[in-house]
Amino acid sequence: ILNVEQSPQSLHVQEGDSTNFTCSFPSSNFYALHWYRWETAKSPEALFVMTLNGDEKKKGRISATLNTKEGYSYLYIKGSQPEDSATYLCAFTSNFGNEKLTFGTGTRLTIIP
Amino acid sequence: ETGVTQSPTHLIKTRGQQVTLRCSSQSGHNTVSWYQQALGQGPQFIFQYYREEENGRGNFPPRFSGLQFPNYSSELNVNALELDDSALYLCASSPGTTSSYEQYFGPGTRLTVT
């Protein structure tokens, strides 16, 4: 059984502060690790897809790292802004041949102005 | 480029009824996946269609079925609705290559079963 776990479940961060959260996933049969940002009433938006151990990706103030040997990824947000308030989902894809995403339950981030 | 669209946005059904949800994939994408997100959980994989054929199925009973059409749009059908089927149903499309496995999601259909 594949399990993806995210922590914390929710957090509140003061505007301007930096924050990070964790995704852990099975390290066997790994193909890709995905991060999505999901604002209420909108479509989940793809942030990063990472495939290689040691990958680091950055998009503006948001970055992510990947460790496939130990099965974890970190998402970092620098200088949080109110528009960063959203649920951040990570999802794991195995190398079994289809594109099934196995999701964690998400981290709900609220930025306090 | 048109993104992934889903219809309807919301619907309410009675236990035992049948429902059809629709998804239009992003232009150029030949693969559609369906996910169910129940309250407090992450999205759960239902099944995937690639070029009109089912290409993988999650742990859902046979009363969950699907179709993909020649234009790569897709339907999710659920028969004999149960209260636990109340959830947000998401579809995602992808180009069907092995280079990225990146999936693009629609906004979802919120199904309430009473």
Side-chain angles (χ1 to χ4, degrees):
Chain A
I1 297 176
L2 296 179
N3 255 345
V4 177
E5 296 182 359
Q6 292 188 246
S7 63
Q9 198 170 11
S10 67
L11 74 164
H12 292 73
V13 174
Q14 203 69 40
E15 182 178 353
D17 286 352
S18 297
T19 187
N20 64 83
F21 22 95
T22 307
C23 171
S24 62
F25 54 88
S27 53
S28 58
N29 302 309
F30 174 86
Y31 183 82
L33 193 283
H34 307 244
W35 281 100
Y36 286 87
R37 178 170 68 190
W38 196 2
E39 296 179 66
T40 304
K42 294 188 177 180
S43 306
E45 173 200 353
L47 288 173
F48 305 112
V49 181
M50 295 184 288
T51 57
L52 296 176
N53 185 44
D55 250 356
E56 289 189 33
K57 296 227 172 167
K58 190 174 179 184
K59 184 187 267 192
R61 295 177 292 99
I62 304 177
S63 60
T65 61
L66 178 68
N67 182 323
T68 61
K69 293 187 192 296
E70 295 180 45
Y72 65 83
S73 175
Y74 293 128
L75 189 81
Y76 300 90
I77 301 178
K78 189 176 176 183
S80 303
Q81 299 296 309
E83 60 265 29
D84 296 330
S85 294
T87 295
Y88 291 82
L89 288 167
C90 75
F92 163 88
T93 304
S94 74
N95 56 9
F96 287 141
N98 70 27
E99 300 174 17
K100 164 188 169 181
L101 293 171
T102 301
F103 282 91
T105 54
T107 293
R108 188 181 193 109
L109 175 66
T110 304
I111 307 301
I112 305 164
Chain B
E1 184 179 84
T2 307
V4 179
T5 60
Q6 293 185 243
S7 62
T9 307
H10 298 88
L11 75 167
I12 300 173
K13 290 285 189 176
T14 304
R15 192 171 47 184
Q17 285 187 316
Q18 179 265 342
V19 69
T20 297
L21 311 182
R22 295 179 174 84
C23 171
S24 291
S25 58
Q26 187 162 315
S27 175
H29 288 184
N30 57 22
T31 302
V32 171
S33 303
W34 286 92
Y35 294 84
Q36 179 198 65
Q37 192 198 26
L39 199 62
Q41 296 183 22
Q44 301 289 315
F45 176 74
I46 304 175
F47 43 57
Q48 181 183 93
Y49 280 84
Y50 171 67
R51 293 187 173 181
E52 303 178 59
E53 298 286 330
E54 189 179 286
N55 182 40
R57 188 178 180 92
N59 189 25
F60 281 81
R63 58 189 186 83
F64 285 78
S65 63
L67 278 175
Q68 188 178 30
F69 300 99
N71 67 355
Y72 302 130
S73 65
S74 177
E75 285 183 356
L76 164 65
N77 299 291
V78 188
N79 293 325
L81 283 165
E82 300 177 0
L83 297 179
D84 284 349
D85 296 334
S86 295
L88 180 70
Y89 289 84
L90 293 163
C91 84
S93 74
S94 58
T97 67
T98 56
S99 61
S100 71
Y101 280 8
E102 192 159 348
Q103 296 188 27
Y104 298 83
F105 282 84
T109 294
R110 173 75 61 189
L111 171 65
T112 302
V113 182
T114 61

